[in-house]
Every structure is written in structure tokens, then in C-alpha cells.
Amino acid sequence: LTVLAGNIALERRAAGPRGLAKLHRFASLDSYAIPLLWRRAIGDAPDVQVECANSRDLDEMADLWGAIARTRQFTPALDADGLARWIDSAPGLEIDDYLLARDRRGRLLGFVGMWDQRALKTLRVLRYSPMLSMLRGVITVVAPFVGAAAPPDVGAPLHYASAVHLCVPLDRADVLRALILAAYDRLRGSDRIFLNVGLDAREALSSALRGLLATPTPIHAYATMPRGAWHGPPLDDRPLYFETALV
């Protein structure tokens, strides 16, 4: 299970009070919110080309997913049919919401989906802190000139997109950056305010988000067993894959 960092009640619960099973913390995640503001250059990785996916790409996507899944903890097993069923059952998600990164020879290097989840769940603004109220005022004035969406009023829904099925080799931050910049360019100017991306805090892939004003929210991951503390295989030798879009 995952627990938002700072949730003291559940962090105390991890010790197993009153005979409850102990929770073993084995990883931490950072859920990054990338604001979709001004236009950004997409040419950081000239050898990586990004395109939209279609159903003919599913076999190739599944092959890459299987290879990268072995380098992470808790990555779900998905073949082409399973990936197609997953996308088909997700409200508001289509195959052309996925971006593919390829090298100059056309070889698939990585992919990610951008899921607008308003058909599934809604975030609503209850209040702004004094600092955020000032920042919101500035962005509201500037937004029409840079092609960005203005932050919503108090009480209004907050629209965004979440990265889903992020599939990139652990040593290819350049591939992830190319995908994120392409997603940024595609989403900017819509009514989406930010793009959410979840990564294990230990992953070098986080360097792909440099300069994007990505604000991380830390989340802790725990494991347990029905009869007590975790006694399974070690879980800290590989980064955790966790679908933050499903929280």
C-alpha cells in the first residue's frame, strides 16, 4: 500500500500497534505536477522522434513493456491483448493518447500515455493559500499571452492529465524527457493545468524533469503479510513501478 508522506496517523500504524500487522516501508515515490505554462523547446534529444500510437503498435509496445517490467518492482504483466483491454476499460483513455519515442531507425525506445481522468474522478479547488492566491493572480493575467490555461476559481474543477504506463529504460532519461516535452506541447493550451508523473524517488529518470517547474509530492510504499511483518524477498533492489493515476 501507499501512504502520503506526512500522514502521521498511518505512519504510526506501520509499527503494528495493538497486534496489527507491521508494515515494511521499502520505497518512496515522487508524484510530480508539471505546470503547463509557456511553450518549451522540444529539441533536447534530436536522435529521439516522438509520435502518437495506434492499435498497430500494441505488439511492439507490449514487447518493450515486458523487457522493462523486469527491471522494476510490482510492474503488472501485460501482453498486447492485456494492454488493449486495459486501455479500452479506462474511461477517457484511447490508444492515440499514448506517445511513442523512436530512434532514427524506427526502433521503439519508450512510451507513455496521457490520461485525462475527468470521466473517472474530479479534483475541485477548495481554497488557495495566500501565496498561491498571489501566484494564481499573476498566472491568470499572463496565461492568455502565453497560451496557457488560467487556474480555476475556488469551487471549480481542476483539470489535468496523468502519465500512465510509463515505459522507459531506467538509464534513458533523454527518452523520458522527449516524451514529457511532447506531452507538454500537446496538452498546453487545453483546459488542463498540469501533467502528473509518478517516479520512484531513487530513479535517475527524474532528471528528465529538470527545468519544468515540476513540484514533487512524496509518497511512501509499504508491504506486509496477513500474519505479520514482511518476510518475502527483498524489495529494495529495484525501483518501484506504481500507477499513480489509479490513486
Side-chain angles (χ1 to χ4, degrees):
L1 74 156
T2 57
V3 177
L4 192 66
N7 186 336
I8 296 174
L10 273 176
E11 287 178 352
R12 289 174 177 167
R13 160 69 181 82
R18 302 180 301 281
L20 296 172
K22 293 183 179 180
L23 306 179
H24 170 62
R25 177 175 157 187
F26 68 95
S28 292
L29 302 156
D30 284 322
S31 180
Y32 292 94
I34 303 171
L36 304 171
L37 300 172
W38 51 82
R39 186 179 299 277
R40 293 183 179 276
I42 307 180
D44 286 33
D47 293 330
V48 179
Q49 308 298 319
V50 178
E51 63 187 23
C52 290
N54 60 62
S55 58
R56 296 186 299 275
D57 297 309
L58 284 169
D59 286 326
E60 194 177 9
M61 291 166 67
D63 288 343
L64 183 63
W65 179 268
I68 293 177
R70 298 181 181 91
T71 67
R72 292 172 165 171
Q73 299 283 6
F74 291 105
T75 310
L78 291 171
D79 58 13
D81 289 339
L83 185 57
R85 287 193 300 270
W86 205 106
I87 297 170
D88 186 58
S89 64
L93 184 65
E94 305 291 342
I95 184 62
D96 59 4
D97 291 319
Y98 286 74
L99 295 175
L100 310 181
R102 297 185 181 277
D103 62 16
R104 291 182 180 272
R105 296 176 296 171
R107 184 171 61 96
L108 185 63
L109 302 174
F111 64 86
V112 67
M114 297 171 295
W115 190 6
D116 184 328
Q117 298 178 292
R118 70 186 73 186
L120 177 68
K121 62 183 180 181
T122 300
L123 287 181
R124 194 170 297 277
V125 179
L126 299 182
R127 65 182 177 87
Y128 286 103
S129 68
M131 182 175 294
L132 281 178
S133 290
M134 294 176 59
L135 182 60
R136 174 177 175 266
V138 173
I139 294 176
T140 299
V141 171
V142 174
F145 299 99
V146 297
D153 296 330
V154 172
L158 181 67
H159 298 310
Y160 64 99
S162 291
V164 63
H165 294 136
L166 193 157
C167 183
V168 175
L170 301 180
D171 61 349
R172 293 302 304 266
D174 60 321
V175 172
L176 178 58
R177 186 167 180 85
L179 288 167
I180 294 299
L181 288 174
Y184 183 107
D185 185 64
R186 180 170 170 174
L187 294 168
R188 197 186 69 89
S190 67
D191 62 349
R192 271 67 66 92
I193 301 298
F194 64 88
L195 171 65
N196 188 76
V197 179
L199 294 170
D200 189 298
R202 299 167 293 183
E203 287 194 73
L205 286 176
S206 60
S207 64
L209 309 183
R210 69 186 185 279
L212 298 181
L213 305 179
T215 303
T217 297
I219 302 168
H220 300 317
Y222 297 83
T224 189
M225 289 183 164
R227 296 184 179 180
W230 175 260
H231 294 299
L235 297 174
D236 55 0
D237 59 336
R238 286 172 290 168
L240 169 66
Y241 181 85
F242 182 75
E243 209 67 84
T244 54
L246 297 180
V247 174

